[in-house]
Amino acid sequence: MQRTRPVKSYLSWFTQLSVAVVMAITLLPSAPAEAKPSRKELTAQEKQLADQLEKMTEQYNGLQVRLKQAEKAAKVAADSAKVQQQGLATAQAKIAQMAADSYKNGGIDPAVAFAGAKDPQTMLDQSATLDYFTSQGSAQVRTLFRTLQSTARAQKAAQDRSAQVKSLAKESQQKQQALRTALKSVRGKLGQSTGVPGQPAPSVASGGASAKAMGAVHAALARLGTPYSWGGGTASGPSYGVAQGAHIKGFDCSGLTLYAYAQVGVSLPHYTGSQYNAGVHVTRAQLRPGDLVFFHSDLHHMGMYIGAGKFVHAPQTGDVVKISTLADFPFAGAARIA
């Protein structure tokens, strides 16, 4: 018969096991603490974040260009519709008189119903009325029909353009909100500024560049040390930007080149993609001072070449307008503006 171990023995054995387990866990090597990134790693991270920030900046600038184009097209279409409406009113008055004259002479003319209709298009949509108007030899009737069709097309174009503008405006608002959220996170990671305020302007040889190009170079170099402002820069000079740049008076990359060329009478849009297509494309070997230089496959950063492998640009949030070496950036193309 098997003997039963006393309860005290079990308790003693369990106590000893527990102590052993605790000691074993205590003696286990602790997980190594996460190593802090080195200065080199932080610098690389800062550059990557700044690059993403610049890309978002130019996406926003491009959206603003599209928005202005749509608004302009909508206004043109609306003005056209207004003119056509005036033509329709004149033609409708003429055809009403023609119908009244016909009625006095004993005839029953469908134009009477048309002239008094609140919705002429509905009348025209009826096949019998369409057949009537299109079969008449009267120049007045044909003019009215063509005018009405033209008015309908112009109004439809205006409505389509207006819808496009509204869609772009909504897209712009969503993009701005997304950028604000992303920039708030980026600001905490970029750390201290890497700007170099007060960088002296070098002497720049023309190297065959035009007088206008050199004028733009001098205008850009005169702004060395100006703060980077997200969305900032106009033809008149540094300006308050948007979102993160709302309280900083300065330039972003395309804002700086826009300003520089405005000083010599050349108008450029505030968007790298549009500025790339604003001039004659040249190779890296053909660069002259004043040429606009673009970086990355999507051209989301740019500057102005000043010769000797250098260019002036507005780099990133927390930085200032400064001179950098072309070889340090992923060159994508260049455009000669003047």
Side-chain angles (χ1 to χ4, degrees):
M1 181 174 162
Q2 187 175 2
R3 296 178 61 187
T4 302
R5 180 177 294 183
V7 174
K8 288 185 178 180
S9 298
Y10 278 111
L11 290 174
S12 176
W13 172 79
F14 182 77
T15 300
Q16 293 175 9
L17 179 61
S18 299
V19 171
V21 169
V22 170
M23 290 181 65
I25 292 175
T26 303
L27 293 175
L28 284 174
S30 59
E34 185 177 351
K36 291 183 179 181
S38 65
R39 184 170 184 80
K40 182 178 180 181
E41 291 171 333
L42 285 173
T43 300
Q45 184 180 15
E46 180 182 7
K47 183 178 180 180
Q48 182 181 17
L49 290 171
D51 182 63
Q52 293 172 352
L53 178 61
E54 187 68 24
K55 181 183 294 187
M56 289 189 289
T57 299
E58 287 310 315
Q59 287 175 351
Y60 174 83
N61 289 341
L63 186 59
Q64 295 308 301
V65 170
R66 290 170 55 202
L67 184 58
K68 289 179 181 178
Q69 291 172 342
E71 288 173 339
K72 183 178 179 180
K75 185 179 184 305
V76 170
D79 291 344
S80 176
K82 185 177 180 180
V83 171
Q84 295 298 341
Q85 285 284 12
Q86 293 171 346
L88 172 61
T90 301
Q92 194 168 8
K94 290 180 180 180
I95 199 64
Q97 184 61 50
M98 183 184 73
D101 293 343
S102 177
Y103 181 74
K104 288 177 183 178
N105 293 329
I108 299 175
D109 199 316
V112 173
F114 176 83
K118 293 182 178 180
D119 187 1
Q121 184 62 49
T122 301
M123 291 292 297
L124 286 177
D125 287 342
Q126 299 176 16
S127 59
T129 307
L130 282 171
D131 290 343
Y132 170 79
F133 280 116
T134 55
S135 66
Q136 298 306 302
S138 168
Q140 291 178 329
V141 175
R142 289 196 299 271
T143 299
L144 173 59
F145 186 68
R146 287 196 298 268
T147 302
L148 185 61
Q149 287 183 319
S150 180
T151 301
R153 287 195 295 268
Q155 288 178 324
K156 180 65 166 59
Q159 291 171 353
D160 289 346
R161 291 298 186 184
S162 295
Q164 183 181 9
V165 170
K166 290 178 181 178
S167 176
L168 286 171
K170 183 178 180 181
E171 182 182 350
S172 178
Q173 290 173 352
Q174 293 173 341
K175 178 69 88 175
Q176 287 184 55
Q177 183 58 45
L179 289 174
R180 290 175 194 271
T181 301
L183 288 171
K184 185 177 181 180
S185 175
V186 169
R187 289 186 70 182
K189 298 178 180 179
L190 282 176
Q192 296 181 347
S193 169
T194 57
V196 187
Q199 189 175 13
S203 176
V204 177
S206 68
S210 68
K212 280 193 173 183
M214 291 304 296
V217 167
H218 293 145
L221 291 176
R223 293 296 179 172
L224 287 173
T226 302
Y228 179 97
S229 176
W230 191 74
T234 68
S236 301
S239 68
Y240 291 101
V242 296
Q244 185 172 339
H247 302 293
I248 302 173
K249 192 172 184 179
F251 297 101
D252 63 15
C253 69
S254 56
L256 174 65
T257 51
L258 176 161
Y259 161 77
Y261 266 103
Q263 307 318 297
V264 293
V266 178
S267 178
L268 293 174
H270 197 159
Y271 175 45
T272 57
S274 296
Q275 291 193 21
Y276 181 70
N277 293 317
V280 177
H281 293 169
V282 295
T283 66
R284 187 166 180 170
Q286 297 171 324
L287 284 175
R288 296 175 184 171
D291 290 346
L292 301 183
V293 286
F294 299 83
F295 308 98
H296 306 280
S297 59
D298 59 357
L299 312 178
H300 67 259
H301 186 60
M302 66 176 296
M304 181 181 294
Y305 189 66
I306 61 172
K310 306 284 186 179
F311 70 104
V312 57
H313 64 141
Q316 64 190 57
T317 295
D319 213 330
V320 296
V321 174
K322 66 183 182 181
I323 296 170
S324 294
T325 301
L326 200 64
D328 293 338
F329 291 76
F331 182 82
R336 182 161 297 153
I337 304 300

